[in-house]
Amino acid sequence: MPDSDSSSADEKGKIGSLAGLPGLSLDALTSVAYGPEAIVIVLAASSTGAIAAVRPITVAIVVLLAILVFSYRQVIAAYPDGGGAYAVSKANLGQTPSLLAGASLIVDYVLTVAVSITAGVAALTSAFPTLTSATVPLCLVMLVLLTTLNLFGLAESARAFMIPTLVFIGSLYMVVVFGLIDPLGPSAAPLPKPPSASALGILLILKAFSSGCSALTGVEAIANGTPSFKEPRIKRAQRTELLLGLILGSLLLGLAQLTVNFHLKPKANITLLSQIAQRAVGHGVAFYVVELSTTVALALAANTSFGGLPVLASLLARDRFLPRVFSLHGERTVYRYGVVVLAVLAALLIVGSNGNTQTLIPLFAIGVFIGFTLAQAGLVRHWFKHHGKLWVGRAAINATGAVLSGSAAVIFLATKFVHGAFIIVVVIPALIVMFRRIHAYYIKLGKYIGLDEPPGRPDGRGPALVLVPVIGLSRLTTLMLDRALATGGEVRAVHAAFEGEPTDALEADWRNWDPGVPLVILPSPQRSVTRAVLGYLATPEVSAHPNIVVLIGEIEPRKLRHRLLLNQRGSILASVLRRQSDAAVATVPFRLD
């Protein structure tokens, strides 16, 4: 029976619907600071009148946003274990598309952290130029702060970011409302009529559309991080996804309208959002609230990746495409290895770009739009396989979204290729190759230790109580029981059963194998092998034995780099048992040479 105290503690490490906004949505929400400006920069290169096309282009982007929100709400329901585009592609499109989705999302998550932090620090140094020389150290300090918060759990970081997020959203709505109702110094000139597509050129419109689609990055993070939500997690995650879509869509439309109303165009050293805020609320306290909240929110937007990438990495690890350590987490459902690796990669990007956002921007958004496209295409296949209520209409919407997001990805890659996007063409295939090589190693390792073969029977008896932690049946299991029985003591195999994971198959296999050693199932509501074994050692039945030995098997690969692919669970268990129990702990090496 699950431990109610541990279950409630685990729930405390998760987030609710509203906390999902700062926890998993800040990346998307803060994109209003650069998405609309990206459209204006492209259109301004054509003519002043072309700025009026911001509205129809923004409407098209919001339509795509609505399709994506609709789709990812379906992803949340169909694949509640997280993974987003990776999970959808894996189930419907096959291994290669799923690995492409996984690699693309990893690239996007790392870039999101680097871009968000450097953009936030850039806004700070613009307000305080004396800090410019400390750009990289400031970026790294912010990165360390975010990493530390996320190591304690997503719920803690989400709660810490709640007030800055609400202030940011509220200040932007204030700008939109004041700008539409009572703008300061409104232009008396008539609003320009949007030029026709033929006048602007289809290529320019597509380029502006794809650039503006950078405002949609982060929409997938909620679906990727669904396991981070409290129960009922599906409903809470879907509610957060819908709330994100409503807020982001309304702000994009409002800011686009104000851009046209105020006849704005790009200016050096002042962002489009700053221009809009200054025209809408003046240059007083309200203006600085908007600027400061935007700076803070941009810096904190990196938190989206800390909620999404570790979950994605854990799924890849469970499928044996990343080292197993990425699937391990602590009591607060924190995949610490994923958090730390994300922080290290982002730090390398920040240092390599010297904290310059514009150096990173050409690489941004391509990965996530590849993920969008694969997720939409996978859902189309999903509906054709499973049908369901109104499945034809759902499939049509997903197909439309796949075409739109795929087009945006192609155009973005083509227009930004010479500005650094070519790096993505190299990095993503390299990640896929790495995934495949890791997977091949795990397959080879499984065959070597005989995971799929009936192991031989051990023999021997002795006076001591010898405990042998086991995961399943393999040659390693035989070796461990042989060594244990050779001691001449009473031998028991113990298996930590995580909450929600059935053990019937293992128990049936054990009975059929009949090694002459009983198998003891240790319930582990905290999902911790060490706690399960320590708890068993503390029971009166076991603690009464004067001589307790715990034998722990460890695989020793021939190459040092292959050691990184093993989960190190045996070393951790041995270390904890030596510190917290009186049992004699011995490790038995299983050398692969």
Side-chain angles (χ1 to χ4, degrees):
M1 181 176 179
D3 188 335
S4 59
D5 291 337
S6 64
S7 298
S8 60
D10 187 55
E11 279 293 292
K12 287 181 181 179
K14 297 187 177 182
I15 59 178
S17 298
L18 189 58
L21 289 176
L24 294 169
S25 306
L26 262 180
D27 177 23
L29 290 173
T30 55
S31 63
V32 298
Y34 49 80
E37 186 167 21
I39 302 173
V40 172
I41 289 174
V42 174
L43 294 177
S46 174
S47 64
T48 303
I51 298 299
V54 167
R55 285 180 299 192
I57 291 174
T58 301
V59 168
I61 291 173
V62 171
V63 169
L64 177 56
L65 170 64
I67 293 173
L68 290 172
V69 169
F70 175 81
S71 297
Y72 277 104
R73 279 170 58 87
Q74 297 176 78
V75 171
I76 290 167
Y79 306 96
D81 291 332
Y86 171 73
V88 178
S89 300
K90 174 187 170 184
N92 300 286
L93 301 178
Q95 187 182 96
T96 299
S98 70
L99 295 182
L100 175 59
S104 300
L105 288 175
I106 287 175
V107 169
D108 179 69
Y109 279 137
V110 175
L111 282 166
T112 293
V113 174
V115 169
S116 298
I117 290 178
T118 55
V121 172
L124 181 64
T125 55
S126 296
F128 303 98
T130 55
L131 296 176
T132 302
S133 59
T135 294
V136 173
L138 286 171
C139 290
L140 295 178
V141 167
M142 177 60 70
L143 179 60
V144 169
L145 175 62
L146 289 172
T147 304
T148 302
L149 281 171
N150 280 278
L151 286 174
F152 282 100
L154 184 62
E156 278 66 24
S157 61
R159 282 191 285 267
F161 301 160
M162 179 67 78
I163 293 178
T165 300
L166 295 179
V167 171
F168 169 70
I169 295 172
S171 66
L172 287 186
Y173 273 121
M174 175 184 66
V175 167
V176 171
V177 171
F178 274 66
L180 293 175
I181 296 177
D182 187 26
L184 299 179
S187 174
L191 297 180
K193 182 180 179 181
S196 64
S198 58
L200 282 179
I202 297 297
L203 182 59
L204 182 67
I205 291 176
L206 291 176
K207 186 177 179 181
F209 172 77
S210 63
S211 296
C213 280
S214 60
L216 303 181
T217 56
V219 173
E220 81 293 342
I222 296 170
N224 293 349
T226 301
S228 301
F229 285 88
K230 296 178 181 179
E231 293 293 348
R233 57 179 176 172
I234 292 177
K235 289 185 177 180
R236 291 181 185 275
Q238 287 181 324
R239 197 175 299 140
T240 304
E241 188 76 56
L242 179 60
L243 189 59
L244 166 63
L246 293 174
I247 294 173
L248 180 57
S250 59
L251 287 176
L252 287 174
L253 292 172
L255 293 174
Q257 184 63 47
L258 292 181
T259 299
V260 178
N261 285 2
F262 297 151
H263 300 246
L264 299 178
K265 55 184 179 180
K267 288 185 179 179
N269 303 321
I270 180 169
T271 66
L272 180 69
L273 185 59
S274 295
Q275 293 183 61
I276 294 174
Q278 189 170 346
R279 291 290 298 272
V281 299
H283 209 280
V285 175
F287 171 78
Y288 287 104
V289 169
V290 174
E291 291 294 285
L292 184 58
S293 65
T294 301
T295 299
V296 174
L298 273 168
L300 300 183
N303 201 61
T304 297
S305 292
F306 283 102
L309 186 140
V311 173
L312 173 63
S314 73
L315 295 177
L316 284 164
R318 290 173 195 173
D319 292 336
R320 299 186 291 185
F321 291 110
L322 280 180
R324 292 287 180 85
V325 294
F326 286 100
S327 65
L328 304 179
H329 64 71
E331 294 179 28
R332 296 176 180 268
T333 323
V334 178
Y335 295 100
R336 291 191 172 91
Y337 291 96
V339 170
V340 172
V341 169
L342 172 60
V344 170
L345 294 176
L348 292 175
L349 275 179
I350 290 171
V351 173
S353 65
N354 199 31
N356 189 335
T357 307
Q358 296 307 313
T359 303
L360 300 170
I361 284 293
L363 310 178
F364 199 40
I366 296 175
V368 76
F369 271 92
I370 293 175
F372 284 165
T373 305
L374 291 170
Q376 304 276 340
L379 282 175
V380 173
R381 180 75 181 276
H382 172 85
W383 294 124
F384 272 91
K385 288 196 301 183
H386 301 286
H387 291 186
K389 186 178 180 181
L390 303 175
W391 72 273
V392 175
R394 292 170 182 261
I397 293 174
N398 294 143
T400 302
V403 171
L404 290 175
S405 55
S407 300
V410 171
I411 295 168
F412 204 102
L413 182 60
T415 56
K416 301 293 184 180
F417 189 84
V418 296
H419 300 288
F422 66 90
I423 297 176
I424 301 299
V425 180
V426 175
V427 171
I428 290 179
L431 283 173
I432 294 174
V433 170
M434 182 188 74
F435 294 157
R436 291 192 181 281
R437 295 196 67 173
I438 290 174
H439 189 71
Y441 175 78
Y442 280 130
I443 295 297
K444 184 178 180 180
L445 175 63
K447 291 180 178 179
Y448 197 93
I449 65 175
L451 285 176
D452 300 323
E453 301 174 9
R457 291 187 58 187
D459 53 19
R461 281 287 181 263
L465 174 61
V466 184
L467 303 181
V468 181
V470 298
I471 297 176
L473 303 187
S474 68
R475 291 179 189 170
L476 178 59
T477 311
T478 302
L479 172 66
M480 294 301 301
L481 294 183
D482 262 332
R483 295 293 175 86
L485 292 170
T487 65
E490 176 189 357
V491 180
R492 301 178 190 175
V494 294
H495 173 77
F498 291 172
E499 184 178 358
E501 296 182 4
T503 60
D504 296 344
L506 174 61
E507 293 180 80
D509 289 342
W510 195 273
R511 286 193 298 270
N512 292 335
W513 180 34
D514 190 22
V517 173
L519 174 66
V520 181
I521 302 298
L522 309 179
S524 179
Q526 299 98 345
R527 302 180 66 85
S528 170
V529 174
T530 55
R531 289 197 173 194
V533 175
L534 283 172
Y536 186 61
L537 289 173
T539 61
E541 175 197 1
V542 176
S543 59
H545 284 266
N547 186 18
I548 303 174
V549 178
V550 180
L551 293 185
I552 300 173
E554 283 193 334
I555 297 175
E556 290 191 4
R558 286 181 295 176
K559 298 181 180 179
L560 181 62
R561 66 175 182 270
H562 291 163
R563 190 176 296 274
L564 298 174
L565 304 179
L566 305 177
N567 60 27
Q568 312 300 324
R569 185 174 285 165
S571 300
I572 296 172
L573 177 60
S575 176
V576 172
L577 291 180
R578 289 187 179 110
R579 292 198 316 267
Q580 300 184 28
S581 77
D582 295 327
V585 181
T587 57
V588 179
F590 186 92
R591 296 186 177 88
L592 302 182
D593 55 359

